[in-house]
Amino acid sequence: MEKEHKLNTKFTIKINMRKKCLTLFVSFISVIAYSQIGDNANTQTGVSTERFPVFPNCQNLESASLERCFYNEVQDFVFQNFVVPETLLKNDFHGSVKVLFEVDTNGLFKVIYVNAVDDELIQEAKRVFGKFPKISPSTFNGKEVYSRYNIAISIPLKSSETITSEALAKAELKPSSTSKRTELDSIVYKKFANPELQSHLNIPFSHSYYSQFDAAMNQVGSNNHTASKPYTYQEVSKYYDIKKANENLKLKASNWWARKLWNENMVEIQGDGYWFTLNPIVDLQVGKASQSDVSYTYVNTRALNFRGGIGKQLNFTTTVFESQGRFADYFNRYAESIAPAGGNPAIIPGIGIAKDFKTNSYDFPLAEANITFAPSKNIDLQLGYGRNFIGDGYRSLLEGDGASPYPYFKINTNFWKIKYTNTYMWLKDVRPEVTLERTYATKFMANHYLSWNVSNKLNIGLFESVIWTNTNDRGFDLSFVNPIIFYRSVEFASSARTGNALLGFSYKYKWSNQVNFYGQFLLDEFSLGDIKKGDNSWKSKYGYQLGAKYYNAFKIDNLLLQLEYNHVRPYVYSHSVPITNYGHNNQSIGHQWGGNFKEFIAIARYHKGRFFGDAKVTTGTRGLDFNTNTDKFNYGGDIYKDYDENRPFDSGVKVGQGNKTAVFIADVQAGYLINPTTNLKLYASYIYRSFDPTQNTISTFTQSTNWFSIGLRTDVFNWYFDY
């Protein structure tokens, strides 16, 4: 039996070609997927149904008998009703027509795609399948489900009996050494069962999304580690069933477009030992901001995300973003204040370098990627281009995600009560002072974080980081490759003040399943003699964080309340050699505000079904530089200034020194989760910002901003507008 005459039920890529308005991209994916199916007609599709569709002549049959009967009925109906165009008969045409079709939940046949050399054949195939009688649909666990198949209609036409006879005849023939291989035809596709949710792949880090399973991850007695982010799906799946949560949010949708919009990935493939998903990503915002020179604000982001797994150990994801936009005036000014060398007007915080786009807008492309290999249950290795975060709070003093993405290599090791995270990063300094021949300066960073569950309630973490540059062709210093070495000692022995080391400490105490306390301490520089003097020496470069979370607050399910206080002294994150500061792309890798500030944050997050709401209030005091002709002192807020130059005081150094500025930001957001699988959200947001310095300067002045936005966003990273 010729392969092109057989039914094939291996196809699971849910791409509907019925609508002529499908984009070229989706059409391309469909054609490629279809070409991989082959023509083997006697293999079940990836839609794992408990029972095949049932024709009247196939009643009371089960299993393989029902399967064969279904194939024969389809083949015979086509044989009896298909009319070969006269022109092709005259030319003695030999070939085939490939038809991809669906039996929906009502038992109706629907043509999805037809591949033929002649348009008349395509139209005839559609006509014939439109005549199929209504039958009993496939069932899965007793519930009606749609199922998909393909058939190759041979020209000249053949009945099922003829095909069976030919198959028996061929089976009796001794295979020739030159026979055609059928490896591609034997590939079997399975029903997509969301293997991603059990994989070692990173869950995109979004504060709003992570809050949904934060309570489950912080139960008293659990032996997990919540500070090192992003989490992997495998880490979370032990404590929170994302698949079940998504199933509970599923909307009833029968057609392909509805399923893709409300419930599923755009493209999803699963086979024996591998899976892939492909999704478009959007971030479409439009708004209005006061105190602005433009009539409206907007973000126009189009992106494509490709994720997958090969075997149980290897997973990957890659996303390509293309974005344009303009923001509220205060955010635009900050983006332009950290502009790189070379004529680009700005760096969009958390995104990267931007170029001019039309009038008063920016074009800011972005790419992110991650490959994870888990050789054992205790270790996973990650090679990525993105951001990382260490902490249990909204902010991190140790390592935050407010800076632009960067290349990194990460090692996560889990055993006993320990999680040990090593991260090696390649960073950039884009200031004109260190840019040579239009090439930005490279710097390197290595850090390690040891998380230890001391008891059922207490977790402590130890953090160390070191940053160095390519001075004297030092390159990536292999001295720091050893994952268990003490960085500060190595840096002292390897260089003469060309590196910058920081130490940190974190804690989390689970008072109960509802109440957690957390905090951090960062030590940038330490002088015991100066501390003993008690004169607030500038060398006392440290910061600390205190925070608390209240889950299911006031017995309201899914209500999270959070309070957080951050205090960072002047000159923290800076260095005597600015290139070795704690920064990347003119942004702090720690707290986004840099140094010399104190901040209080109150957050409320709530979700019910697909509806959600977030509210955040930030109030703080920042000590900024005046940057005037009469006052050019470095007061310790700008981490890209040499702390040995223009320092106004050696003692009596306090938070808020310089141009003391009061900051108040209220941020309210509410919306509807359109698709829980892709985290696509429809939302509206309102931001009120008050910025009140002691002295107005050209770059720092009193301003109040009201910023209202609505948007459609795939929530896969954090936007920070609280500057």
Side-chain angles (χ1 to χ4, degrees):
M1 179 177 62
E2 296 294 330
K3 292 188 290 202
E4 63 262 24
H5 307 303
K6 303 178 183 178
L7 289 170
N8 184 342
T9 63
K10 298 185 294 181
F11 192 85
T12 61
I13 307 174
K14 303 175 182 176
I15 300 174
N16 192 337
M17 301 293 294
R18 293 171 293 179
K19 299 186 179 181
K20 294 183 179 180
C21 61
L22 272 177
T23 63
L24 179 61
F25 176 76
V26 176
S27 301
F28 177 70
I29 294 295
S30 299
V31 172
I32 291 180
Y34 184 78
S35 69
Q36 300 298 316
I37 294 173
D39 302 324
N40 187 348
N42 290 322
T43 307
Q44 189 175 349
T45 71
V47 179
S48 299
T49 58
E50 196 173 79
R51 189 190 68 174
F52 264 69
V54 181
F55 281 89
N57 292 337
C58 304
Q59 295 286 349
N60 302 319
L61 297 178
E62 297 293 338
S63 190
S65 298
L66 176 60
E67 180 180 345
R68 286 192 299 271
C69 186
F70 172 80
Y71 298 150
N72 291 336
E73 288 292 314
V74 172
Q75 187 68 51
D76 287 337
F77 188 91
V78 172
F79 176 73
Q80 295 164 11
N81 292 275
F82 197 97
V83 179
V84 180
E86 188 66 27
T87 54
L88 298 180
L89 288 175
K90 290 181 178 179
N91 293 321
D92 194 25
F93 175 79
H94 286 71
S96 65
V97 180
K98 295 182 180 180
V99 182
L100 176 65
F101 66 94
E102 173 183 291
V103 182
D104 67 13
T105 55
N106 295 316
L108 298 175
F109 284 72
K110 297 181 180 180
V111 173
I112 299 172
Y113 178 70
V114 182
N115 184 17
V117 297
D118 189 89
D119 187 65
E120 289 185 273
L121 290 174
I122 295 175
Q123 297 305 319
E124 177 62 13
K126 292 180 178 180
R127 183 192 69 82
V128 171
F129 274 81
K131 294 182 60 174
F132 264 90
K134 181 178 179 181
I135 64 174
S136 299
S138 297
T139 59
F140 182 75
N141 292 331
K143 182 181 179 181
E144 291 83 4
V145 297
Y146 76 95
S147 52
R148 293 189 175 175
Y149 313 92
N150 76 302
I151 182 176
I153 305 170
S154 63
I155 310 295
L157 298 168
K158 297 179 181 179
S159 67
S160 62
E161 184 179 356
T162 300
I163 294 175
T164 303
S165 300
E166 291 178 351
L168 292 173
K170 285 191 73 174
E172 295 175 356
L173 298 177
K174 190 175 180 178
S176 169
S177 60
T178 60
S179 61
K180 187 178 179 181
R181 294 190 178 271
T182 59
E183 293 165 332
L184 289 176
D185 300 330
S186 65
I187 296 175
V188 177
Y189 297 93
K190 301 179 179 179
K191 178 179 175 62
F192 193 78
N194 285 311
E196 173 183 8
L197 304 182
Q198 300 289 330
S199 73
H200 295 277
L201 200 64
N202 284 340
I203 303 175
F205 180 40
S206 159
H207 288 297
S208 180
Y209 184 53
Y210 273 44
S211 69
Q212 296 184 23
F213 44 80
D214 203 17
M217 297 287 289
N218 284 282
Q219 300 293 290
V220 175
S222 58
N223 188 25
N224 59 7
H225 304 269
T226 59
S228 184
K229 298 179 177 71
Y231 304 142
T232 66
Y233 285 101
Q234 189 184 65
E235 287 179 292
V236 174
S237 65
K238 298 176 183 177
Y239 307 95
Y240 182 81
D241 193 338
I242 299 178
K243 184 176 182 179
K244 182 180 179 181
N246 289 351
E247 286 291 329
N248 292 336
L249 295 175
K250 235 177 186 180
L251 299 179
K252 187 176 181 180
S254 59
N255 64 68
W256 184 87
W257 279 106
R259 293 195 304 271
K260 298 304 174 183
L261 175 62
W262 302 112
N263 300 322
E264 300 177 357
N265 296 291
M266 181 61 69
V267 176
E268 44 192 32
I269 303 173
Q270 183 175 347
D272 187 14
Y274 63 89
W275 63 270
F276 307 106
T277 65
L278 185 70
N279 284 299
I281 289 177
V282 297
D283 190 351
L284 308 175
Q285 308 175 28
V286 64
K288 176 70 176 179
S290 62
Q291 307 292 324
S292 178
D293 295 331
V294 296
S295 57
Y296 62 95
T297 64
Y298 76 94
V299 173
N300 178 20
T301 296
R302 297 87 57 211
L304 196 64
N305 174 255
F306 183 47
R307 303 161 74 85
I310 301 175
K312 294 182 178 180
Q313 288 77 36
L314 184 65
N315 297 105
F316 64 88
T317 177
T318 182
T319 309
V320 180
F321 299 84
E322 180 62 35
S323 304
Q324 297 82 37
R326 59 173 175 246
F327 309 88
D329 182 65
Y330 78 89
F331 193 83
N332 293 335
R333 285 201 317 274
Y334 176 67
E336 292 177 5
S337 72
I338 59 174
N344 297 100
I347 289 178
I348 306 302
I351 304 296
I353 295 174
K355 61 183 180 180
D356 286 315
F357 178 75
K358 295 184 178 180
T359 304
N360 299 321
S361 296
Y362 310 108
D363 188 328
F364 41 100
L366 174 66
E368 294 185 329
N370 179 276
I371 298 175
T372 301
F373 177 66
S376 73
K377 66 178 182 179
N378 302 108
I379 298 175
D380 73 68
L381 311 175
Q382 299 184 20
L383 181 64
Y385 189 90
R387 316 167 189 83
N388 294 281
F389 188 96
I390 294 178
D392 288 288
Y394 173 72
R395 306 284 199 187
S396 175
L397 307 186
L398 307 181
E399 183 179 5
D401 64 331
S404 307
Y406 44 80
Y408 66 88
F409 177 67
K410 181 189 283 189
I411 306 172
N412 287 311
T413 306
N414 281 278
F415 62 96
W416 188 50
K417 303 177 181 180
I418 297 290
K419 181 176 182 179
Y420 188 46
T421 301
N422 297 84
T423 312
Y424 307 94
M425 290 156 277
W426 288 256
L427 309 175
K428 292 292 184 182
D429 191 322
V430 298
R431 295 173 298 135
E433 302 93 304
V434 293
T435 299
L436 299 175
E437 298 179 352
R438 301 182 179 181
T439 302
Y440 299 130
T442 298
K443 57 195 236 183
F444 310 95
M445 177 174 172
N447 65 38
H448 47 190
Y449 178 73
L450 178 68
S451 175
W452 175 31
N453 289 323
V454 182
S455 70
N456 286 335
K457 292 187 174 184
L458 178 63
N459 171 276
I460 61 173
L462 302 176
F463 174 81
E464 186 185 23
S465 180
V466 63
I467 296 178
W468 71 97
T469 64
N470 194 34
T471 305
N472 290 334
D473 294 324
R474 182 179 183 185
F476 188 89
D477 198 329
L478 294 181
S479 302
F480 300 109
V481 171
N482 190 323
I484 57 173
I485 205 164
F486 191 55
Y487 290 157
R488 183 174 283 270
S489 299
V490 174
E491 177 56 29
F492 181 81
S494 301
S495 63
R497 297 188 69 189
T498 63
N500 180 21
L502 297 87
L503 298 175
F505 167 85
S506 70
Y507 78 90
K508 179 177 65 178
Y509 184 75
K510 305 173 187 177
W511 180 269
S512 67
N513 287 338
Q514 285 72 49
V515 178
N516 284 187
F517 299 99
Y518 64 90
Q520 295 181 341
F521 180 80
L522 174 70
L523 183 62
D524 192 355
E525 198 160 323
F526 177 78
S527 175
L528 183 60
D530 288 303
I531 290 179
K532 287 182 176 181
K533 291 179 182 179
D535 60 354
N536 285 317
S537 169
W538 75 274
K539 293 183 179 180
S540 298
K541 296 165 59 182
Y542 64 83
Y544 62 88
Q545 177 187 86
L546 301 171
K549 293 180 180 179
Y550 184 15
Y551 303 109
N552 301 317
F554 307 112
K555 298 183 179 180
I556 301 174
D557 291 342
N558 304 317
L559 174 61
L560 168 63
L561 301 181
Q562 182 177 359
L563 298 176
E564 183 172 300
Y565 177 75
N566 297 295
H567 185 106
V568 178
R569 282 181 54 80
Y571 309 108
V572 173
Y573 302 131
S574 62
H575 199 250
S576 58
V577 183
I579 194 174
T580 55
N581 70 356
Y582 206 62
H584 165 63
N585 266 11
N586 289 346
Q587 304 151 85
S588 170
I589 297 178
H591 195 290
Q592 291 97 300
W593 286 5
N596 193 10
F597 72 87
K598 54 185 177 182
E599 173 194 45
F600 178 79
I601 305 172
I603 302 173
R605 303 187 190 275
Y606 176 73
H607 69 274
K608 184 176 179 60
R610 295 196 177 211
F611 293 94
F612 70 92
D614 296 333
K616 175 166 53 66
V617 174
T618 303
T619 180
T621 300
R622 302 182 66 180
L624 305 176
D625 296 338
F626 291 95
N627 291 324
T628 63
N629 291 330
T630 57
D631 193 336
K632 297 182 179 180
F633 290 114
N634 173 16
Y635 290 97
D638 187 347
I639 70 173
Y640 279 87
K641 288 185 176 181
D642 182 346
Y643 57 53
D644 283 333
E645 294 184 1
N646 298 322
R647 191 176 62 246
F649 321 110
D650 289 339
S651 60
V653 173
K654 297 181 180 180
V655 168
Q657 67 177 22
N659 196 357
K660 189 174 183 178
T661 302
V663 181
F664 178 85
I665 304 172
D667 186 346
V668 180
Q669 186 176 128
Y672 181 78
L673 178 62
I674 296 176
N675 190 328
T677 298
T678 61
N679 211 21
L680 178 66
K681 297 177 176 179
L682 179 68
Y683 72 94
S685 72
Y686 170 74
I687 296 176
Y688 171 77
R689 176 184 183 265
S690 173
F691 196 77
D692 188 15
T694 302
Q695 178 180 323
N696 287 333
T697 67
I698 295 177
S699 59
T700 304
F701 50 87
T702 300
Q703 186 181 41
S704 295
T705 303
N706 292 279
W707 187 9
F708 175 78
S709 300
I710 58 174
L712 180 69
R713 180 171 186 252
T714 307
D715 191 11
V716 292
F717 67 89
N718 293 309
W719 271 112
Y720 293 102
F721 295 115
D722 40 9
Y723 289 92

